[in-house]
Amino acid sequence: MRLRSLLVLLAVPALVATASPASAANPAVAPGGNFDLGIWQLQEPVGSPGSPTTISSSRLQGPNGFQDSYFYTDTRDGAMTFWAPEKGVTTPNSNYARSELREMNRDGSAANWSLSGSHKLSATLRVVSVTSNVCVGQVHLGTGGSSTKPLLELYYRSSGDIVLGTENSPDGGQTPHTVGHVSIGKTWTYTIGISGGNTIDLTVNGSTTHYSIPSSFKAYKQYFKAGSYNQSSSDSTTKGARVAFYGLTVSHG
């Protein structure tokens, strides 16, 4: 079975597999033992003010790869788990802490792809706990201009609502779209797709919706992010957002 899976991957070179099936997850190893983290870099809510700690893909890989209290394998079910408290080190352009993966290339350089073509980020996950709102997936702007905004963010709210936020322009302003509802602690799936250079294709639990990409974004390259990007802040280190991933795949074509 393992050889057959490898042959399938070799036959489809545009596909990058970044997770094993949930049923095959080993709860006794680091996330890199269950997930191929060779195309991800981790950002954590610790470090110096305005400069969160990042963990390179080389350190994340393998069964003995990096893990700590913010990024770890759940010993009960093997889930790759992200914890982002309300109090933590943030980036200069955000007030919110995160434990989040940033897409990279295999050679260690930062992913930075054009809107043209086909790009997909797919995940199976559950939000274990959240104070109010957490971002679990993003398409973020790369090079091409001065904006540090995302193209889109996918949120899970404490009410159980799943909301897609699409940015109105690189200058800011976000439009929310409610795209589903899942009770806290329940497993669900999403696929964030970009197609034809001008369309967002979002699938949540098998239901797909489409959104136009404003032309003002076409000058920018993009990259994916996934994990727990908490959307609330306080002085609490015990309140926050914990998100468990059972599958995570990226493809470009």
Side-chain angles (χ1 to χ4, degrees), residues 125-130 134 136 156-157 183-188 241-244:
L125 70 159
R126 69 185 182 98
V127 177
V128 180
S129 63
V130 61
V134 59
V136 297
Y156 179 90
R157 295 182 174 165
S183 299
I184 188 77
K186 298 296 184 181
T187 301
W188 55 285
R242 195 179 308 271
V243 184

